[in-house]
Amino acid sequence: MKKLMFGTIVMLFISVGCSNDFVEIAPVGVLESDTFLDKEENAEQALIGLYDLMQYNYAKDWSSAYFLKVLPGDEANAGGGSSTDQPQLQDIDDYTNVSVSNSSILSVWNLYYRTIALSNTIINKAEVGSLSNKQFVLAEAKFIRAYCYFELTTMWGDVPLRLTNPTELNAKAFGLVKSPRATIYAQVKKDLIDAIAGLPARGAVKQSFRVSNATAQALLGKVLVFEGKYSEAIPYLAAVISNPAYGLETSSADVWSVKSEFGKESLFELGYISTKGYDWGNVVWGGRMESNLHVQLMGPRGDGVFNLKGTGLINGWGFNLPTAKIVNAFQAEGDVNRKAATLMTEAELVAKGGGRTGLPWDYQGAIRTKYATRTSDTNEAGIQELNYTTNWRLLRYSEVLLLAAEAYNKATPNGDAQARIELNKVRKRAGLTDVSPALSGTALFDAIANEKFLELAFEGQRFWDLVRWGKAGTELAGTGYTAKNNLFPIPINEINLNDALTNADQNPGY
């Protein structure tokens, strides 16, 4: 049984980007924010509230950060019941009709800024307070703020950088110009350096879902790689790689299993529980559910389409289907074990005793086994479809290895030997042979990029890597992608309600 319970969120003074009513979700309780953070136990409640918000950010039914990050990639099709099922997601997947009014894009924008707002409240109050654990409180809040701003600038580029919350509930008070991505990166790095100094080692974290100083090191290394500052990234990534508290799970299948939740490979993980026993009468559409509804959304389509006999899977609603490209990539690499942990071809489904009737929308010959609808991951006390406990793994040790491999490959002419070492660790776990000792330079980088494609499929990294590598135009040719899709549009609600923004601030092409 899960040991983490997210039920209560401390709402001090939380803005929602620039929402019409500024506070979309009512507080659970009324708290006096001027004095609330004077006590350590209250600061703890506020910090737990940050994880509660992060849980919601990545699991808000069809409007989550998970879908927003995964669907532009070339390993996933939107799927669903038809081309008009959740059209805002179909548009993101197909690139061509992404609107400034896209509801999922607006939702994720607001969710991140809501989380940042609570982070700001904690940071601003703790900085002037007298908490005995002030450094820790600041460190944890700054990590979450840094994570959210890194996600925002990755997906939107230049964004408003709000480090203090408005003190008045009106649109004028919320007016704030966009800051350049370089400025966002600088603040993210500053927050992460503070987080590294103030967070505990993994063995001293208070609950398994909370971040350690190694989590902050890993994220800082990732940010520096995204900036192209490879030499600066290496010490942070190397510190995580050499940390005995972390490592690779024994097999690829173990990475997403219940038994490995918050395991040695997980650096940042969002937890979900099934003890609420949701049914069709109490499911919270669009609200904060404690189970992971996305697993049901992404399961192989029911309605008589897929017979899943012999697979241990339950029918779902058919979103986020594998592309033929990712299937072919696994097969071209001879990657049997990791492929089985990631997807199942139709031929493999039939061999297990299942099959397919009809042709699901966006189907290209496979279903997912990563983040899949396993009977073992849900609760029979409620409706199985609504009570999956599957955790999102947001930052994993294998990603750190591949980021380090990239950094070594790019940083110095002599870095390829170490790059091969880190790359081969991931390949060995997947059951693959080492790359050639002679592989170097661009050819080695291409091998690292392909390994990330396979290792991190359906984890929200692929598209954003293609963009920063300048490979999106080539890899996504013929899909409808154009350079404007490198960024999402700034939501029109933000421009209309933020007095400091105009249509001239919109991202190019929208």
Side-chain angles (χ1 to χ4, degrees):
M1 177 178 290
K2 301 246 181 164
K3 294 183 179 178
L4 100 126
M5 295 287 292
F6 291 122
T8 311
I9 168 76
V10 178
M11 301 291 283
L12 300 175
F13 176 48
I14 300 177
S15 66
V16 186
C18 271
S19 169
N20 281 311
D21 57 1
F22 299 100
V23 181
E24 288 186 343
I25 296 179
V28 169
V30 178
L31 300 168
E32 177 50 63
S33 62
D34 286 339
T35 60
F36 182 72
L37 288 177
D38 287 350
K39 297 180 179 180
E40 286 188 20
E41 58 267 31
N42 293 344
E44 276 290 293
Q45 290 183 52
L47 291 170
I48 297 302
L50 288 174
Y51 292 95
D52 194 30
L53 285 171
M54 287 295 293
Q55 180 200 51
Y56 184 43
N57 295 354
Y58 285 81
K60 185 185 177 185
D61 49 51
W62 291 272
S63 295
S64 69
Y66 178 82
F67 274 148
L68 214 60
K69 293 200 71 184
V70 170
L71 288 182
D74 52 358
E75 79 269 43
N77 286 332
S82 69
S83 61
T84 59
D85 193 353
Q86 299 299 321
Q88 80 283 3
L89 296 181
Q90 305 292 338
D91 290 346
I92 291 167
D93 180 48
D94 295 336
Y95 307 109
T96 52
N97 297 308
V98 181
S99 166
V100 297
S101 301
N102 184 290
S103 59
S104 291
I105 291 173
L106 172 62
S107 170
V108 175
W109 173 279
N110 282 344
L111 290 170
Y112 279 133
Y113 273 108
R114 183 184 300 156
T115 310
I116 288 166
L118 179 55
S119 299
N120 286 343
T121 295
I122 295 169
I123 293 164
N124 298 160
K125 296 295 183 183
E127 282 177 335
V128 298
S130 55
L131 289 169
S132 60
N133 63 342
K134 177 190 292 190
Q135 185 181 26
F136 165 74
V137 171
L138 290 172
E140 197 160 25
K142 286 183 178 182
F143 173 85
I144 297 296
R145 182 169 72 178
Y147 192 94
C148 291
Y149 271 124
F150 179 53
E151 295 282 63
L152 281 166
T153 197
T154 297
M155 291 189 277
W156 281 277
D158 302 344
V159 297
L161 178 62
R162 192 180 299 280
L163 301 178
T164 59
N165 296 334
T167 56
E168 298 178 16
L169 289 177
N170 60 69
K172 185 175 180 62
F174 278 78
L176 186 66
V177 299
K178 294 198 301 183
S179 291
R181 177 177 277 176
T183 302
I184 304 297
Y185 276 142
Q187 183 61 49
V188 167
K189 291 184 290 186
K190 181 176 183 297
D191 278 351
L192 289 175
I193 289 169
D194 288 347
I196 292 168
L199 287 170
R202 182 171 202 175
V205 297
K206 296 179 180 180
Q207 288 96 10
S208 58
F209 61 86
R210 299 175 80 166
V211 295
S212 70
N213 53 12
T215 312
Q217 289 173 324
L219 183 57
L220 182 52
K222 181 173 181 175
V223 171
L224 289 164
V225 169
F226 269 57
E227 276 194 292
K229 297 181 177 180
Y230 302 108
S231 296
E232 293 180 41
I234 287 171
Y236 295 105
L237 298 170
V240 179
I241 292 169
S242 63
N243 189 326
Y246 297 93
L248 292 172
E249 297 289 349
T250 302
S251 72
S252 296
D254 290 337
V255 177
W256 301 280
S257 70
V258 172
K259 70 178 182 180
S260 69
E261 287 173 349
F262 305 111
K264 63 181 179 180
E265 188 159 345
S266 181
L267 283 143
F268 190 25
E269 183 170 333
L270 300 179
Y272 298 88
I273 57 175
S274 64
T275 51
K276 291 288 184 178
Y278 293 110
D279 57 38
W280 299 115
N282 64 9
V283 60
V284 189
W285 297 113
R288 271 190 205 99
M289 289 179 61
E290 306 298 341
S291 61
N292 191 343
L293 183 65
H294 273 59
V295 176
Q296 175 64 17
L297 302 184
M298 300 188 302
R301 188 118 185 130
D303 302 326
V305 176
F306 283 103
N307 172 3
L308 300 175
K309 181 180 178 181
T311 66
L313 303 180
I314 304 171
N315 287 114
W317 299 337
F319 287 88
N320 194 15
L321 288 168
T323 61
K325 183 174 182 177
I326 187 65
V327 175
N328 293 337
F330 276 113
Q331 293 175 339
E333 193 65 34
D335 192 339
V336 176
N337 297 334
R338 185 167 49 186
K339 170 176 166 286
T342 306
L343 56 85
M344 182 188 301
T345 65
E346 186 167 324
E348 291 163 342
L349 173 62
V350 171
K352 288 180 178 290
R356 174 182 64 83
T357 59
L359 184 63
W361 169 248
D362 263 353
Y363 177 70
Q364 294 184 356
I367 58 176
R368 278 177 311 92
T369 52
K370 180 186 285 189
Y371 292 138
T373 45
R374 292 186 176 86
T375 55
S376 58
D377 293 351
T378 186
N379 185 353
E380 294 182 0
I383 300 297
Q384 283 188 306
E385 297 97 316
L386 304 178
N387 289 283
Y388 286 102
T389 65
T390 310
N391 291 354
W392 291 138
R393 277 71 163 177
L394 297 188
L395 186 56
R396 296 197 285 122
Y397 186 82
S398 64
E399 183 183 358
V400 173
L401 293 174
L402 293 171
L403 287 166
E406 179 183 349
Y408 283 117
N409 171 254
K410 294 287 189 179
T412 66
N414 300 319
D416 283 345
Q418 190 64 38
R420 289 191 294 270
I421 290 172
E422 307 305 347
L423 170 61
N424 285 334
K425 292 175 184 176
V426 181
R427 290 178 62 82
K428 181 177 181 180
R429 196 266 296 278
L432 300 175
T433 59
D434 289 352
V435 296
S436 168
L439 197 65
S440 62
T442 300
L444 176 57
F445 171 77
D446 289 343
I448 294 167
N450 188 61
E451 198 69 26
K452 280 196 86 174
F453 187 32
L454 302 175
E455 176 68 19
L456 301 179
F458 310 110
E459 295 185 47
Q461 301 302 319
R462 173 64 173 178
F463 177 75
W464 314 101
D465 279 340
L466 292 178
V467 169
R468 69 184 178 86
W469 291 333
K471 289 177 169 283
T474 301
E475 293 291 332
L476 301 174
T479 64
Y481 162 86
T482 66
K484 86 167 191 178
N485 301 117
N486 289 350
L487 299 172
F488 289 129
I490 303 295
I492 192 63
N493 279 24
E494 182 71 19
I495 291 176
N496 289 342
L497 294 167
N498 185 335
D499 284 357
L501 298 181
T502 69
N503 287 331
D505 294 302
Q506 184 56 268
N507 284 329
Y510 294 104

